[in-house]
Amino acid sequence: MDQTERLLKEITEASGVPGYEGDVRAVMRRHLKDVAVLEQDRMGSFIAKHVGDSERPRVMLAGHMDEVGFMVKLVTKEGFIKFVPLGGWWDQVLLGHRVTIKTTKGDVVGVLGAKPPHMLEADEEKKVVEKKDMYIDVGACSEDEIREMGVRPGDPIVPVSEFAVMTNPRFYLSKAFDDRAGCALALQALRQLASPASQGHANTVYAVGTVQEEVGSRGAKTSAFAINPDVGIVLEVDIAGDVPGIKPEDTAVKMGGGPSLLVYDARMIPNLKLRDLVIATAEELEIPLQFSAVTGGSTDGAQIHLHNEGVPTVVVGVPSRHIHSHNAILCRDDYDWALRLVVELVKRLDSETVAGLLV
């Protein structure tokens, strides 16, 4: 594995459902402690600051640390765990998957289950099992046994899935690419910008790992308050449309086609001049750039662009398949292109350029 693969493995395998992102924050801290000033807001968002050739403008690179997961709701007398989702889960992807419950006594492994198919009535066989009818089986036969394991309401539940380089080595498989890919991009971009080889940057750059994006972009609001940025660049995954059942008019984003630029989502229209600067930078560097419009979702940009009097903000994405499941796929080419694009974009964001974004 090269450096990027090792980082993606480490950061995706870390546990970090909404509200419980400490393990991911520790990874980011380890990788940036020697090149940046490290801070943290009161919600738990990670903030790494590197001052370039100028204190202003302040450029915020934001990826969210949390992944979709669950929380223990209650334990039944028979020894099964009922749960609430943390983030958006599609019921079809859940059954039969392993999970880890993080308790004060240590990790407890379990599996998502429901009424066995052999016991279903004819009309039930055709219906998707809903989360409310599922449970987690940790190998217990009573509520007392569960308590002895240390499981209690409020404990986070994390999907179990190891990072893997696929047979086609350009493709990676893992949980939590949404949005550990964005966190890794922010981390690596800051390290490159802080390197003497980068020849400096006329701004101050912040690599931010926000908390609780999957439950309402909460950490983006508090970290933007802490930083007071002049520019926001949200680093995310994007929905790859190159799978069966997706029409070209739904999305033209494909894996291996380059990073994407979000031109619209349900809660943000990007700053138009910053959008055009992204496009011009990609063209100059001959980086393929795809365009995406998401009508049914949003990103941390929803909070960042509304901070104070407004912050020019864009979203750069890495196309991914099967997000919000136990296993997603992304292409290394897209990741590398995105990293180069972000680094070069930050270098162009001097005071004059940023002032021009507001005209």
Side-chain angles (χ1 to χ4, degrees), residues 75-148:
V75 178
T76 70
K77 293 180 180 179
E78 297 78 19
F80 297 98
I81 294 167
K82 301 294 287 185
F83 59 88
V84 294
L86 297 176
W89 280 100
W90 195 35
D91 293 339
Q92 286 94 323
V93 305
L94 292 177
L95 287 177
H97 281 291
R98 292 188 183 187
V99 294
T100 296
I101 304 171
K102 313 291 287 188
T103 82
T104 55
K105 291 186 176 181
D107 290 353
V108 174
V109 67
V111 62
L112 284 153
K115 186 177 179 181
H118 310 80
M119 307 296 290
L120 297 176
E121 302 292 339
D123 61 328
E124 292 179 307
E125 292 180 352
K126 300 179 181 179
K127 296 179 180 179
V128 175
V129 179
E130 298 182 24
K131 287 184 285 291
K132 66 181 179 62
D133 298 318
M134 299 180 192
Y135 54 81
I136 294 173
D137 188 343
V138 296
C141 296
S142 70
E143 184 177 2
D144 288 340
E145 290 183 7
I146 297 289
R147 287 177 177 171
E148 289 175 6

Side-chain angles (χ1 to χ4, degrees), residues 27 40 50 78 98 108 123 151 192 230 234 246 293 312 323 325-326 331 334 338 345 351 356:
V27 172
Q40 183 176 320
H50 183 269
E78 297 78 19
R98 292 188 183 187
V108 174
D123 61 328
V151 177
Q192 287 192 21
D230 300 298
V234 177
I246 303 296
I323 63 171
S325 74
H326 278 64
C331 177
D334 297 329
L345 179 62
S351 296

Side-chain angles (χ1 to χ4, degrees), residues 201-223:
H201 52 99
N203 48 47
T204 295
V205 63
Y206 295 81
V208 182
T210 66
V211 298
Q212 299 189 44
E213 189 270 355
E214 296 291 1
V215 291
S217 297
R218 298 168 184 173
K221 182 177 179 67
T222 56
S223 57

